[in-house]
Amino acid sequence: MNNIKNLVSRERVDLFGLVSSIKERTKANGGLYIDLRLEDMTGSVDGKIWDKALADFPGIIVGSLVKVRANVNEWNGKNQLNIQNIRLATEEDNVKIDDFIKGPPLAIEAMMKDILAIVGKFESKTLKSICLAFFEKNEDQLSYFPAAQMVHHAMKGGLLYHIHTMMKLALVISERYPHVNRELLISGTLLHDMGKLKEMASDKNGKVSGYTKDGRLLGHIIQGIIMLHDTAKDLRDKGLELDEESIVLLEHMIASHHYEEAWGALQKPAFLEAEMLHHIDLIDSKINIFENILDNLEEDSFSDSQWSLGGRTIYKP
């Protein structure tokens, strides 16, 4: 069976893949075409279905496992599919959707257990209660939600993997600096991106079909602050007395973790743990982008231009 990594330009192929994006577009002459992206465990590839509309393929949506017959062309140095036929995969094809879904290298259950074990040792009643409430309420979504639609940790369970990796980095880094409130820093890593659960619409396979209305209007930073506010209110309603400064500090960490206003931040970091959170987040997101590039790159070669890295080409020694 063909896979995406081994596609060769000018070949005609039959290929199975998972639809990770699909949009209807208009040509310069007014005609319609479909722009889609397919992926499997080896990589992803863009494709076009010319002179067709989404209405011609009502069952094919983001997250669908499909079979295509296509010509492989080269466009701007990358393979692209000119698709003649496309249909949903059937039972007779003897393919399983799980074989096309990329997930984290660590088991979801193990990461969740690790996070809860760390939080369970917190001395701060407020930080412990807030974090445990977040993970208890959102456990199901965290088992499959990606951290992004396309850029970093865009995989099933990618959000939890991103959070878990950041927590591990925070545990190590906080040992080196005596002024760090370790529990506050770890709490910030655990909660900073929780608003993405409200920002994006994801299926159980971690495929994002788009952004929710609230996500488009507010973004995950404001959504995360709202979630934190609501969680604190629920805990107070249950009679738990919270340290209000800890809540404000967590809100600020969520508000400032993107650092720059152009990147969506509401504030610049105003205290040490907020500053550290930004850099830990940046490290993990950028490294994941590099890892995804290197997975599909031969040794002693350069990638094509990477828009997510400012147009850089990446070298694999």
Side-chain angles (χ1 to χ4, degrees):
M1 184 170 64
N2 290 304
N3 61 50
I4 290 171
K5 184 177 181 178
N6 295 325
L7 292 176
V8 177
S9 181
R10 299 184 181 181
E11 283 191 347
R12 186 176 178 86
V13 295
D14 290 329
L15 179 72
F16 290 98
L18 202 65
V19 178
S20 58
S21 69
I22 183 167
K23 295 180 180 178
E24 182 178 288
R25 301 193 186 277
T26 304
K27 295 189 289 186
N29 64 7
L32 297 176
Y33 71 98
I34 295 174
D35 194 359
L36 59 79
R37 174 170 291 183
L38 296 180
E39 61 181 58
D40 61 19
M41 295 293 282
T42 70
S44 63
V45 63
D46 292 329
K48 313 288 185 189
I49 309 175
W50 298 107
D51 302 310
K52 294 292 184 180
L54 289 177
D56 297 319
F57 306 100
I60 297 178
I61 58 175
V62 169
S64 296
L65 181 59
V66 299
K67 182 179 182 181
V68 303
R69 175 163 292 174
N71 294 322
V72 184
N73 302 321
E74 187 174 307
W75 176 256
N76 287 336
K78 298 174 66 175
N79 284 331
Q80 186 180 90
L81 300 178
N82 185 345
I83 299 171
Q84 281 76 55
N85 295 304
I86 182 170
R87 64 166 174 81
L88 292 170
T90 66
E91 190 174 334
E92 289 73 26
D93 291 320
N94 197 30
V95 292
K96 297 184 296 182
I97 195 167
D98 287 347
D99 294 332
F100 293 82
I101 298 172
K102 186 176 181 181
L106 302 175
I108 296 295
E109 296 80 7
M111 289 190 288
M112 187 68 74
K113 183 178 180 180
D114 198 17
I115 289 169
L116 296 179
I118 296 297
V119 174
K121 297 176 183 177
F122 280 5
E123 294 182 4
S124 167
K125 181 176 66 175
T126 294
L127 295 177
K128 179 191 289 188
S129 299
I130 289 287
C131 290
L132 290 178
F134 258 91
F135 279 85
E136 180 181 347
K137 184 174 182 179
N138 299 294
E139 183 176 3
D140 180 60
Q141 280 185 290
L142 286 168
S143 70
Y144 63 83
F145 230 83
Q149 186 171 16
M150 292 178 58
V151 182
H152 71 88
H153 299 87
M155 67 180 88
K156 183 178 182 180
L159 178 57
L160 184 64
Y161 181 46
H162 177 47
I163 289 170
H164 181 265
T165 304
M166 286 181 60
M167 181 191 74
K168 290 294 192 180
L169 288 171
L171 286 168
V172 174
I173 292 172
S174 61
E175 292 180 350
R176 301 295 186 266
Y177 301 99
H179 291 291
V180 177
N181 180 327
R182 196 182 203 198
E183 292 184 5
L184 180 61
L185 177 61
I186 292 170
S187 298
T189 66
L190 300 183
L191 303 184
H192 78 289
D193 266 351
M194 284 289 193
K196 290 185 175 182
L197 299 174
K198 306 289 186 182
E199 182 183 40
M200 299 183 293
S202 173
D203 65 16
K204 294 282 188 177
N205 294 316
K207 296 303 168 190
V208 175
S209 58
Y211 289 79
T212 65
K213 182 172 72 174
D214 288 351
R216 292 170 69 91
L217 292 173
L218 300 177
H220 73 274
I221 287 178
I222 293 177
Q223 291 279 21
I225 294 172
I226 293 171
M227 292 169 72
L228 176 55
H229 176 272
D230 291 345
T231 299
K233 182 180 182 301
D234 289 343
L235 291 172
R236 291 190 200 98
D237 290 344
K238 293 176 181 178
L240 186 66
E241 185 176 339
L242 300 177
D243 172 42
E244 297 305 323
E245 172 145 329
S246 293
I247 303 299
V248 173
L249 293 178
L250 285 175
E251 288 175 337
H252 177 81
M253 293 175 82
I254 296 171
S256 64
H257 79 270
H258 279 189
Y259 202 85
E260 299 286 354
E261 184 178 340
W263 299 343
L266 304 179
Q267 298 280 345
K268 285 268 183 83
F271 52 88
L272 177 59
E273 292 80 8
E275 179 78 15
M276 294 179 74
L277 171 63
H278 162 70
H279 294 290
I280 292 170
D281 185 27
L282 196 61
I283 288 170
D284 190 47
S285 59
K286 293 297 185 184
I287 295 303
N288 183 255
I289 293 171
F290 267 82
E291 288 180 328
N292 290 334
I293 296 167
L294 295 174
D295 281 344
N296 297 296
L297 198 60
E298 299 296 328
E299 290 185 1
D300 193 26
S301 65
F302 288 87
S303 72
D304 53 11
S305 177
Q306 300 294 315
W307 68 268
S308 59
L309 295 174
R312 283 182 281 168
T313 57
I314 304 305
Y315 177 64
K316 184 174 184 178

